[in-house]
Amino acid sequence: MLPTIEEAMKELDAAWKLNPGPWVRHSVNVGIAARNIAEKAGLDSEKAYVIGLLHDIGRRVGIVDIPTHVYEGYRYCMIKGWEEAARICMTHSYPRMSADFDYEPETEREMGIKKYILGCVPDDYDKLIQMCDALAADYGFVILEKRFVDVTRRYGIMEDYIKGWDTIFAIKEHFDSLMGCSVYDVLPDIGRTTLLTPKPWQPPKGEQK
Ligand SMILES: [Fe+2]
């Protein structure tokens, strides 16, 4: 089960009040990108829109790290009965799936995520949101290379990130061929927004990163 587009938008509004930040506008843009690409790729565009809107909903709990927002989003959507959105909350941050977990996590939360990801074969909706997460900034749509640099400037770099980038480029090729054009062709105004260089967002002082 999934919420309607209207219900998902209301969730984002409520989440904005709990934890305002660029992640909300980013989520809306992930939804729009997913809808536009799904339409042309022969997928369910309404489902794509809703799961795109909700992929980061775990951030409603505050400024948290990657595993925490993944886990909180999954938990929140499961409580609501939105299983397909819960799945995306889990898979969107791990494009390499099991290869992203070639280590033993220390926290119970991360152990739970690892178990879930190891038991999951990514479908086109998982791949779509993994890719759209890398196409949508809060200020608009951008080419993958640009988003990778933005995120790296915020969080720093590890060698494995580059393998993740390669995975996302491969997913883009997959969707380019499903669509018969480039995913960039259906992202409104990308030519302009990809050239913008706003300063990386910083959390308000005193808040947990
Ligand atoms: Fe995201």
Side-chain angles (χ1 to χ4, degrees):
M1 196 177 81
L2 274 176
T4 62
I5 293 166
E6 205 182 26
E7 286 166 337
M9 286 290 193
K10 277 190 190 149
E11 285 295 332
L12 281 180
D13 274 351
W16 168 265
K17 287 179 187 115
L18 294 169
N19 178 26
W23 73 272
V24 177
R25 200 56 232 170
H26 156 77
S27 297
V28 172
N29 285 337
V30 169
I32 293 168
R35 177 197 63 193
N36 291 4
I37 293 165
E39 227 158 25
K40 193 111 194 192
L43 302 180
D44 178 339
S45 59
E46 185 167 337
K47 172 178 171 173
Y49 198 178
V50 170
I51 59 178
L53 291 173
L54 293 178
H55 79 284
D56 268 348
I57 197 66
R59 297 199 186 277
R60 65 193 297 289
V61 301
I63 299 172
V64 289
D65 60 15
I66 288 173
T68 306
H69 96 283
V70 163
Y71 184 82
E72 290 295 333
Y74 175 79
R75 209 172 62 92
Y76 185 72
C77 290
M78 287 304 279
I79 289 168
K80 295 275 193 179
W82 302 331
E83 283 170 25
E84 289 153 294
R87 171 184 172 122
I88 296 297
C89 288
M90 277 289 198
T91 60
H92 81 274
S93 288
Y94 306 104
R96 297 170 65 226
M97 300 299 286
S98 53
D100 278 323
F101 286 96
D102 57 357
Y103 66 99
E104 282 314 313
E106 282 172 15
T107 64
E108 226 165 280
R109 187 169 281 170
E110 247 192 298
M111 285 178 212
I113 298 171
K114 177 173 180 174
K115 192 169 168 212
Y116 185 95
I117 295 291
L118 260 48
C120 185
V121 178
D123 63 17
D124 274 347
Y125 293 95
D126 297 305
K127 292 179 191 171
L128 179 65
I129 304 303
Q130 289 164 348
M131 175 180 68
C132 289
D133 204 13
L135 290 169
D138 58 309
Y139 54 87
F141 304 105
V142 295
I143 58 170
L144 294 175
E145 290 88 340
K146 162 116 182 174
R147 176 84 175 148
F148 293 150
V149 171
D150 278 355
V151 173
T152 303
R153 287 179 78 195
R154 259 185 287 145
Y155 295 109
I157 186 137
M158 289 195 294
E159 206 186 320
D160 277 358
Y161 284 6
I162 295 154
K163 295 178 190 159
W165 298 350
D166 287 339
T167 305
I168 299 289
F169 280 115
I171 293 174
K172 180 182 174 292
E173 274 174 32
H174 171 64
F175 280 99
D176 286 347
S177 84
L178 282 181
M179 295 165 74
C181 65
S182 165
V183 299
Y184 297 140
D185 291 341
V186 297
L187 301 180
D189 214 19
I190 186 172
R192 185 184 66 82
T193 50
T194 211
L195 296 177
L196 300 176
T197 47
K199 282 201 165 63
W201 180 78
Q202 295 288 337
K205 278 210 164 78
E207 299 220 29
Q208 189 198 343
K209 195 175 173 187

Short mmCIF file of all heavy atoms in Angstrom, two decimals, residues 17-73:
data_model
loop_
_atom_site.label_atom_id
_atom_site.label_comp_id
_atom_site.label_asym_id
_atom_site.label_seq_id
_atom_site.Cartn_x
_atom_site.Cartn_y
_atom_site.Cartn_z
N LYS A 17 8.05 20.98 9.27
CA LYS A 17 7.86 21.67 10.56
C LYS A 17 8.73 21.04 11.64
O LYS A 17 9.23 21.72 12.53
CB LYS A 17 6.39 21.64 10.96
CG LYS A 17 5.58 22.59 10.08
CD LYS A 17 4.10 22.62 10.39
CE LYS A 17 3.40 23.47 9.34
NZ LYS A 17 2.48 22.72 8.51
N LEU A 18 8.94 19.72 11.55
CA LEU A 18 9.76 19.03 12.55
C LEU A 18 11.26 19.27 12.31
O LEU A 18 12.03 19.40 13.25
CB LEU A 18 9.50 17.52 12.49
CG LEU A 18 8.09 17.06 12.89
CD1 LEU A 18 7.90 15.59 12.52
CD2 LEU A 18 7.89 17.26 14.38
N ASN A 19 11.66 19.27 11.06
CA ASN A 19 13.08 19.39 10.72
C ASN A 19 13.25 20.14 9.40
O ASN A 19 13.48 19.53 8.35
CB ASN A 19 13.72 18.00 10.61
CG ASN A 19 15.20 18.09 10.22
OD1 ASN A 19 15.87 19.09 10.47
ND2 ASN A 19 15.69 17.03 9.58
N PRO A 20 13.13 21.47 9.44
CA PRO A 20 13.24 22.23 8.19
C PRO A 20 14.65 22.14 7.62
O PRO A 20 15.62 22.10 8.38
CB PRO A 20 12.91 23.68 8.62
CG PRO A 20 13.10 23.73 10.09
CD PRO A 20 12.91 22.33 10.62
N GLY A 21 14.74 22.08 6.29
CA GLY A 21 16.06 22.03 5.65
C GLY A 21 15.91 21.75 4.17
O GLY A 21 14.80 21.46 3.70
N PRO A 22 17.01 21.83 3.44
CA PRO A 22 16.95 21.65 1.98
C PRO A 22 16.51 20.24 1.58
O PRO A 22 16.12 20.01 0.43
CB PRO A 22 18.39 21.93 1.52
CG PRO A 22 19.23 21.90 2.74
CD PRO A 22 18.36 22.18 3.91
N TRP A 23 16.52 19.29 2.52
CA TRP A 23 16.14 17.91 2.19
C TRP A 23 14.69 17.82 1.72
O TRP A 23 14.36 16.92 0.94
CB TRP A 23 16.39 16.98 3.39
CG TRP A 23 15.42 17.12 4.52
CD1 TRP A 23 15.52 17.97 5.58
CD2 TRP A 23 14.21 16.38 4.71
NE1 TRP A 23 14.43 17.81 6.41
CE2 TRP A 23 13.62 16.85 5.90
CE3 TRP A 23 13.55 15.38 3.99
CZ2 TRP A 23 12.42 16.35 6.40
CZ3 TRP A 23 12.36 14.88 4.49
CH2 TRP A 23 11.80 15.36 5.67
N VAL A 24 13.84 18.76 2.18
CA VAL A 24 12.42 18.67 1.80
C VAL A 24 12.26 19.03 0.31
O VAL A 24 11.61 18.31 -0.45
CB VAL A 24 11.55 19.57 2.71
CG1 VAL A 24 10.09 19.53 2.26
CG2 VAL A 24 11.67 19.10 4.17
N ARG A 25 12.89 20.11 -0.10
CA ARG A 25 12.82 20.53 -1.51
C ARG A 25 13.53 19.47 -2.39
O ARG A 25 13.08 19.16 -3.50
CB ARG A 25 13.52 21.90 -1.61
CG ARG A 25 13.20 22.75 -2.78
CD ARG A 25 11.74 23.07 -2.99
NE ARG A 25 11.39 22.73 -4.37
CZ ARG A 25 10.17 22.70 -4.88
NH1 ARG A 25 9.13 22.98 -4.13
NH2 ARG A 25 9.98 22.38 -6.14
N HIS A 26 14.62 18.93 -1.89
CA HIS A 26 15.30 17.82 -2.58
C HIS A 26 14.33 16.65 -2.79
O HIS A 26 14.27 16.07 -3.88
CB HIS A 26 16.53 17.39 -1.77
CG HIS A 26 16.98 15.98 -2.00
ND1 HIS A 26 17.69 15.58 -3.12
CD2 HIS A 26 16.82 14.86 -1.25
CE1 HIS A 26 17.94 14.29 -3.04
NE2 HIS A 26 17.42 13.82 -1.92
N SER A 27 13.56 16.33 -1.75
CA SER A 27 12.63 15.19 -1.85
C SER A 27 11.57 15.45 -2.92
O SER A 27 11.21 14.53 -3.68
CB SER A 27 11.94 14.95 -0.50
OG SER A 27 12.89 14.59 0.48
N VAL A 28 11.07 16.68 -2.98
CA VAL A 28 10.07 17.02 -4.00
C VAL A 28 10.69 16.83 -5.39
O VAL A 28 10.08 16.26 -6.30
CB VAL A 28 9.55 18.46 -3.80
CG1 VAL A 28 8.66 18.89 -4.98
CG2 VAL A 28 8.79 18.58 -2.48
N ASN A 29 11.92 17.28 -5.54
CA ASN A 29 12.58 17.15 -6.86
C ASN A 29 12.88 15.70 -7.20
O ASN A 29 12.79 15.31 -8.38
CB ASN A 29 13.85 18.00 -6.89
CG ASN A 29 13.53 19.48 -7.01
OD1 ASN A 29 12.45 19.85 -7.50
ND2 ASN A 29 14.43 20.34 -6.58
N VAL A 30 13.21 14.88 -6.23
CA VAL A 30 13.40 13.44 -6.49
C VAL A 30 12.07 12.86 -6.99
O VAL A 30 12.04 12.08 -7.96
CB VAL A 30 13.90 12.69 -5.24
CG1 VAL A 30 13.83 11.17 -5.44
CG2 VAL A 30 15.33 13.09 -4.91
N GLY A 31 10.97 13.27 -6.36
CA GLY A 31 9.65 12.79 -6.80
C GLY A 31 9.36 13.18 -8.24
O GLY A 31 8.93 12.34 -9.04
N ILE A 32 9.63 14.43 -8.59
CA ILE A 32 9.34 14.91 -9.95
C ILE A 32 10.22 14.17 -10.97
O ILE A 32 9.74 13.72 -12.01
CB ILE A 32 9.57 16.45 -10.03
CG1 ILE A 32 8.52 17.17 -9.19
CG2 ILE A 32 9.53 16.93 -11.49
CD1 ILE A 32 8.82 18.66 -8.96
N ALA A 33 11.51 14.03 -10.65
CA ALA A 33 12.42 13.32 -11.56
C ALA A 33 11.94 11.88 -11.75
O ALA A 33 11.86 11.37 -12.89
CB ALA A 33 13.84 13.33 -11.00
N ALA A 34 11.58 11.22 -10.65
CA ALA A 34 11.17 9.81 -10.72
C ALA A 34 9.89 9.68 -11.55
O ALA A 34 9.77 8.77 -12.38
CB ALA A 34 10.95 9.27 -9.31
N ARG A 35 8.96 10.60 -11.35
CA ARG A 35 7.71 10.56 -12.12
C ARG A 35 7.99 10.73 -13.62
O ARG A 35 7.51 9.95 -14.44
CB ARG A 35 6.79 11.69 -11.64
CG ARG A 35 5.48 11.78 -12.41
CD ARG A 35 4.81 13.11 -12.21
NE ARG A 35 5.62 14.22 -12.72
CZ ARG A 35 5.39 15.51 -12.45
NH1 ARG A 35 4.40 15.85 -11.66
NH2 ARG A 35 6.18 16.45 -12.95
N ASN A 36 8.78 11.73 -13.97
CA ASN A 36 9.04 12.01 -15.39
C ASN A 36 9.78 10.86 -16.06
O ASN A 36 9.48 10.50 -17.21
CB ASN A 36 9.87 13.29 -15.53
CG ASN A 36 9.07 14.53 -15.14
OD1 ASN A 36 7.93 14.42 -14.70
ND2 ASN A 36 9.68 15.69 -15.29
N ILE A 37 10.73 10.29 -15.36
CA ILE A 37 11.51 9.19 -15.94
C ILE A 37 10.64 7.93 -16.05
O ILE A 37 10.63 7.26 -17.08
CB ILE A 37 12.79 8.93 -15.11
CG1 ILE A 37 13.74 10.12 -15.25
CG2 ILE A 37 13.48 7.64 -15.56
CD1 ILE A 37 14.87 10.17 -14.23
N ALA A 38 9.86 7.67 -15.00
CA ALA A 38 9.00 6.47 -14.99
C ALA A 38 8.01 6.51 -16.15
O ALA A 38 7.76 5.50 -16.82
CB ALA A 38 8.25 6.38 -13.67
N GLU A 39 7.45 7.69 -16.39
CA GLU A 39 6.47 7.86 -17.47
C GLU A 39 7.03 7.38 -18.80
O GLU A 39 6.40 6.66 -19.54
CB GLU A 39 6.15 9.35 -17.60
CG GLU A 39 4.67 9.66 -17.69
CD GLU A 39 4.41 11.12 -17.28
OE1 GLU A 39 5.35 11.95 -17.41
OE2 GLU A 39 3.32 11.39 -16.82
N LYS A 40 8.26 7.75 -19.05
CA LYS A 40 8.88 7.44 -20.34
C LYS A 40 9.49 6.03 -20.35
O LYS A 40 9.72 5.47 -21.42
CB LYS A 40 9.97 8.51 -20.58
CG LYS A 40 10.53 8.57 -21.94
CD LYS A 40 10.14 9.85 -22.67
CE LYS A 40 10.48 9.62 -24.13
NZ LYS A 40 10.47 10.67 -25.02
N ALA A 41 9.76 5.49 -19.17
CA ALA A 41 10.42 4.17 -19.09
C ALA A 41 9.40 3.03 -18.96
O ALA A 41 9.79 1.87 -18.81
CB ALA A 41 11.38 4.14 -17.91
N GLY A 42 8.12 3.36 -18.97
CA GLY A 42 7.09 2.32 -18.89
C GLY A 42 6.84 1.81 -17.49
O GLY A 42 6.35 0.70 -17.30
N LEU A 43 7.19 2.61 -16.47
CA LEU A 43 6.90 2.23 -15.08
C LEU A 43 5.68 3.01 -14.60
O LEU A 43 5.19 3.91 -15.28
CB LEU A 43 8.10 2.54 -14.19
CG LEU A 43 9.44 1.90 -14.53
CD1 LEU A 43 10.50 2.35 -13.52
CD2 LEU A 43 9.34 0.38 -14.53
N ASP A 44 5.21 2.68 -13.40
CA ASP A 44 4.05 3.35 -12.80
C ASP A 44 4.51 4.73 -12.28
O ASP A 44 5.23 4.81 -11.28
CB ASP A 44 3.54 2.46 -11.65
CG ASP A 44 2.37 3.07 -10.91
OD1 ASP A 44 2.18 4.30 -10.98
OD2 ASP A 44 1.66 2.32 -10.23
N SER A 45 4.09 5.79 -12.97
CA SER A 45 4.64 7.11 -12.65
C SER A 45 4.10 7.65 -11.34
O SER A 45 4.80 8.39 -10.64
CB SER A 45 4.40 8.10 -13.79
OG SER A 45 3.02 8.23 -14.03
N GLU A 46 2.87 7.28 -10.97
CA GLU A 46 2.34 7.76 -9.68
C GLU A 46 3.10 7.11 -8.51
O GLU A 46 3.50 7.79 -7.56
CB GLU A 46 0.85 7.47 -9.58
CG GLU A 46 0.27 8.07 -8.32
CD GLU A 46 -1.26 8.11 -8.29
OE1 GLU A 46 -1.88 8.08 -9.37
OE2 GLU A 46 -1.80 8.16 -7.18
N LYS A 47 3.32 5.81 -8.63
CA LYS A 47 4.12 5.12 -7.60
C LYS A 47 5.52 5.75 -7.50
O LYS A 47 6.02 6.01 -6.41
CB LYS A 47 4.22 3.63 -7.93
CG LYS A 47 5.19 2.88 -7.03
CD LYS A 47 5.25 1.39 -7.32
CE LYS A 47 6.40 0.76 -6.53
NZ LYS A 47 6.46 -0.70 -6.62
N ALA A 48 6.13 5.99 -8.66
CA ALA A 48 7.49 6.56 -8.69
C ALA A 48 7.51 7.92 -7.98
O ALA A 48 8.43 8.23 -7.21
CB ALA A 48 7.97 6.70 -10.13
N TYR A 49 6.48 8.72 -8.25
CA TYR A 49 6.39 10.06 -7.64
C TYR A 49 6.32 9.93 -6.11
O TYR A 49 7.08 10.56 -5.37
CB TYR A 49 5.13 10.75 -8.18
CG TYR A 49 5.06 12.25 -8.02
CD1 TYR A 49 3.97 12.96 -8.53
CD2 TYR A 49 6.05 12.97 -7.38
CE1 TYR A 49 3.87 14.34 -8.40
CE2 TYR A 49 5.95 14.36 -7.25
CZ TYR A 49 4.87 15.03 -7.76
OH TYR A 49 4.77 16.39 -7.63
N VAL A 50 5.41 9.07 -5.64
CA VAL A 50 5.18 8.94 -4.19
C VAL A 50 6.43 8.40 -3.48
O VAL A 50 6.85 8.95 -2.44
CB VAL A 50 3.95 8.06 -3.92
CG1 VAL A 50 3.84 7.70 -2.44
CG2 VAL A 50 2.68 8.77 -4.39
N ILE A 51 7.04 7.37 -4.02
CA ILE A 51 8.22 6.81 -3.33
C ILE A 51 9.40 7.78 -3.39
O ILE A 51 10.23 7.82 -2.48
CB ILE A 51 8.62 5.40 -3.86
CG1 ILE A 51 8.92 5.42 -5.35
CG2 ILE A 51 7.55 4.37 -3.50
CD1 ILE A 51 9.37 4.08 -5.93
N GLY A 52 9.43 8.59 -4.46
CA GLY A 52 10.47 9.64 -4.53
C GLY A 52 10.25 10.69 -3.46
O GLY A 52 11.18 11.10 -2.76
N LEU A 53 9.00 11.13 -3.30
CA LEU A 53 8.68 12.14 -2.28
C LEU A 53 9.06 11.66 -0.88
O LEU A 53 9.51 12.45 -0.04
CB LEU A 53 7.18 12.48 -2.31
CG LEU A 53 6.65 13.23 -3.54
CD1 LEU A 53 5.12 13.30 -3.48
CD2 LEU A 53 7.25 14.63 -3.62
N LEU A 54 8.87 10.36 -0.63
CA LEU A 54 9.02 9.85 0.74
C LEU A 54 10.37 9.19 1.04
O LEU A 54 10.59 8.75 2.16
CB LEU A 54 7.89 8.84 1.03
CG LEU A 54 6.48 9.42 1.08
CD1 LEU A 54 5.46 8.31 1.31
CD2 LEU A 54 6.35 10.49 2.16
N HIS A 55 11.28 9.15 0.06
CA HIS A 55 12.49 8.34 0.27
C HIS A 55 13.32 8.80 1.47
O HIS A 55 13.99 8.01 2.12
CB HIS A 55 13.36 8.30 -1.01
CG HIS A 55 14.18 9.54 -1.20
ND1 HIS A 55 13.65 10.74 -1.64
CD2 HIS A 55 15.50 9.79 -1.00
CE1 HIS A 55 14.60 11.64 -1.71
NE2 HIS A 55 15.74 11.10 -1.33
N ASP A 56 13.29 10.11 1.77
CA ASP A 56 14.09 10.66 2.88
C ASP A 56 13.23 11.00 4.09
O ASP A 56 13.69 11.76 4.96
CB ASP A 56 14.80 11.96 2.42
CG ASP A 56 16.21 11.71 1.88
OD1 ASP A 56 16.73 10.60 2.05
OD2 ASP A 56 16.77 12.65 1.28
N ILE A 57 12.02 10.47 4.17
CA ILE A 57 11.08 10.90 5.21
C ILE A 57 11.62 10.62 6.62
O ILE A 57 11.19 11.27 7.59
CB ILE A 57 9.67 10.25 4.98
CG1 ILE A 57 8.60 10.97 5.79
CG2 ILE A 57 9.68 8.75 5.27
CD1 ILE A 57 8.32 12.40 5.37
N GLY A 58 12.58 9.73 6.73
CA GLY A 58 13.22 9.48 8.03
C GLY A 58 13.89 10.72 8.60
O GLY A 58 14.15 10.80 9.81
N ARG A 59 14.15 11.70 7.76
CA ARG A 59 14.78 12.94 8.25
C ARG A 59 13.81 13.79 9.06
O ARG A 59 14.19 14.80 9.64
CB ARG A 59 15.35 13.77 7.08
CG ARG A 59 16.44 13.05 6.33
CD ARG A 59 17.30 14.00 5.50
NE ARG A 59 18.26 13.28 4.68
CZ ARG A 59 19.43 12.83 5.11
NH1 ARG A 59 19.80 13.03 6.36
NH2 ARG A 59 20.22 12.16 4.30
N ARG A 60 12.54 13.37 9.11
CA ARG A 60 11.57 14.09 9.95
C ARG A 60 11.99 14.09 11.43
O ARG A 60 11.60 14.96 12.17
CB ARG A 60 10.16 13.49 9.78
CG ARG A 60 10.03 12.07 10.29
CD ARG A 60 8.74 11.40 9.85
NE ARG A 60 7.54 12.02 10.35
CZ ARG A 60 7.12 11.98 11.62
NH1 ARG A 60 7.83 11.33 12.52
NH2 ARG A 60 6.02 12.58 11.98
N VAL A 61 12.81 13.11 11.82
CA VAL A 61 13.18 13.01 13.25
C VAL A 61 14.27 14.01 13.64
O VAL A 61 14.55 14.18 14.82
CB VAL A 61 13.65 11.58 13.64
CG1 VAL A 61 12.56 10.56 13.36
CG2 VAL A 61 14.95 11.20 12.95
N GLY A 62 14.90 14.66 12.67
CA GLY A 62 15.95 15.64 13.00
C GLY A 62 17.14 15.47 12.08
O GLY A 62 17.09 14.72 11.10
N ILE A 63 18.21 16.19 12.39
CA ILE A 63 19.41 16.12 11.57
C ILE A 63 20.18 14.88 12.00
O ILE A 63 20.75 14.83 13.10
CB ILE A 63 20.25 17.40 11.71
CG1 ILE A 63 19.42 18.60 11.24
CG2 ILE A 63 21.54 17.30 10.90
CD1 ILE A 63 20.05 19.93 11.51
N VAL A 64 20.16 13.86 11.15
CA VAL A 64 20.71 12.55 11.54
C VAL A 64 21.61 12.01 10.44
O VAL A 64 21.63 12.51 9.32
CB VAL A 64 19.57 11.54 11.81
CG1 VAL A 64 18.84 11.89 13.10
CG2 VAL A 64 18.59 11.47 10.65
N ASP A 65 22.36 10.95 10.76
CA ASP A 65 23.28 10.37 9.79
C ASP A 65 22.53 9.43 8.82
O ASP A 65 21.32 9.24 8.94
CB ASP A 65 24.43 9.63 10.49
CG ASP A 65 23.92 8.51 11.38
OD1 ASP A 65 22.75 8.11 11.26
OD2 ASP A 65 24.71 8.03 12.21
N ILE A 66 23.28 8.86 7.88
CA ILE A 66 22.63 8.06 6.82
C ILE A 66 21.87 6.86 7.40
O ILE A 66 20.67 6.72 7.14
CB ILE A 66 23.66 7.67 5.73
CG1 ILE A 66 24.00 8.94 4.93
CG2 ILE A 66 23.09 6.59 4.79
CD1 ILE A 66 25.10 8.79 3.93
N PRO A 67 22.52 5.98 8.20
CA PRO A 67 21.75 4.82 8.68
C PRO A 67 20.52 5.22 9.50
O PRO A 67 19.48 4.57 9.41
CB PRO A 67 22.75 4.05 9.55
CG PRO A 67 24.09 4.59 9.24
CD PRO A 67 23.92 5.93 8.63
N THR A 68 20.63 6.29 10.27
CA THR A 68 19.48 6.68 11.11
C THR A 68 18.31 7.15 10.25
O THR A 68 17.16 6.75 10.48
CB THR A 68 19.90 7.79 12.11
OG1 THR A 68 21.03 7.32 12.84
CG2 THR A 68 18.77 8.11 13.07
N HIS A 69 18.57 7.97 9.22
CA HIS A 69 17.43 8.43 8.41
C HIS A 69 16.83 7.28 7.60
O HIS A 69 15.62 7.21 7.39
CB HIS A 69 17.81 9.64 7.54
CG HIS A 69 18.21 9.34 6.13
ND1 HIS A 69 19.44 8.84 5.78
CD2 HIS A 69 17.54 9.47 4.96
CE1 HIS A 69 19.50 8.70 4.47
NE2 HIS A 69 18.36 9.06 3.94
N VAL A 70 17.69 6.33 7.20
CA VAL A 70 17.21 5.14 6.49
C VAL A 70 16.27 4.33 7.39
O VAL A 70 15.14 3.99 7.02
CB VAL A 70 18.42 4.27 6.05
CG1 VAL A 70 18.02 2.85 5.69
CG2 VAL A 70 19.14 4.94 4.87
N TYR A 71 16.76 4.04 8.58
CA TYR A 71 16.02 3.20 9.50
C TYR A 71 14.72 3.87 9.97
O TYR A 71 13.66 3.25 10.03
CB TYR A 71 16.91 2.87 10.71
CG TYR A 71 16.27 1.92 11.67
CD1 TYR A 71 16.29 0.55 11.44
CD2 TYR A 71 15.62 2.40 12.80
CE1 TYR A 71 15.69 -0.32 12.32
CE2 TYR A 71 15.02 1.54 13.69
CZ TYR A 71 15.04 0.17 13.45
OH TYR A 71 14.44 -0.67 14.31
N GLU A 72 14.81 5.18 10.30
CA GLU A 72 13.63 5.91 10.78
C GLU A 72 12.57 6.01 9.68
O GLU A 72 11.38 5.95 9.95
CB GLU A 72 14.02 7.31 11.27
CG GLU A 72 14.82 7.31 12.55
CD GLU A 72 14.03 6.78 13.76
OE1 GLU A 72 12.78 6.89 13.76
OE2 GLU A 72 14.66 6.25 14.67
N GLY A 73 13.01 6.21 8.45
CA GLY A 73 12.07 6.27 7.32
C GLY A 73 11.36 4.94 7.13
O GLY A 73 10.14 4.87 6.93
#
